[in-house]
Amino acid sequence: MEKAIILGLIAVGLVGCATVEQSKQVSSTEHAIQQETQVIYFTGPYDLTIELKSNDGFKTATMMDNSGKNHLLKIAVSGSGMRMVGNDGVSIHFKNFNGLNEGVVELVKDKPIPIKEFKAK
C-alpha cells in the first residue's frame, strides 16, 4: 500500500515536471515571435530614404539613411505618435495619419526633414 502511494507521488511529480518543461518551450516560442524584426521605410525630399528596424517593438531601433549610415535610436517622450532619439542629435518623430506614418527626421540636430512612410504595393 505504501509503495502504491509512493509510486503515485512519483508519477504526479514526473507529470508536473513535464508540464513545466512544455510551458517553458511555449513561452520561449512566444518570446521568439515577439522578437520578430519589424521594418518601416520612409521617403523624403531629394530622394531621401530611411529604414527604421527594430527587434523589440520599437523600444530601440536602428535607422539607416540612403548614405548607408546607421544610427542607434531609443524611444523618447512624445506628445503624440512615436519619437526616437540617438546620442548624436539624430531623431525621428512620426505618427499615423490616414493609414500612413508621416513625420520628420533630423539627421542634423534642429534641421527637420519631412518624411512619409513608403509601402510597396
Side-chain angles (χ1 to χ4, degrees):
M1 182 73 156
E2 288 179 23
K3 287 182 183 180
I5 293 173
I6 291 173
L7 288 175
L9 291 174
I10 290 173
V12 168
L14 290 174
V15 170
C17 289
T19 303
V20 169
E21 187 62 35
Q22 286 176 346
S23 68
K24 284 182 185 177
Q25 290 174 352
V26 169
S27 66
S28 66
T29 303
E30 289 173 358
H31 183 69
I33 291 170
Q34 290 173 354
Q35 297 303 316
E36 184 176 310
T37 301
Q38 296 172 289
V39 182
I40 303 174
Y41 298 97
F42 295 94
T43 59
Y46 308 109
D47 295 327
L48 173 66
T49 58
I50 300 289
E51 176 186 88
L52 191 63
K53 187 184 291 189
S54 177
N55 292 327
D56 60 8
F58 290 100
K59 293 176 187 165
T60 62
T62 302
M63 182 175 73
M64 185 171 71
D65 60 31
N66 52 331
S67 71
K69 204 173 212 183
N70 284 313
H71 307 277
L72 299 177
L73 306 175
K74 60 183 176 182
I75 191 116
V77 176
S78 170
S80 65
M82 180 180 290
R83 182 169 176 256
M84 302 191 82
V85 297
N87 292 334
D88 52 359
V90 173
S91 68
I92 187 167
H93 185 186
F94 58 92
K95 63 181 176 179
N96 193 301
F97 183 73
N98 289 333
L100 287 177
N101 288 314
E102 295 182 358
V104 294
V105 65
E106 290 184 8
L107 300 172
V108 176
K109 187 165 176 61
D110 298 325
K111 302 283 185 188
I113 303 168
I115 55 171
K116 290 185 179 183
E117 182 179 7
F118 172 77
K119 290 188 179 184
K121 295 182 180 187

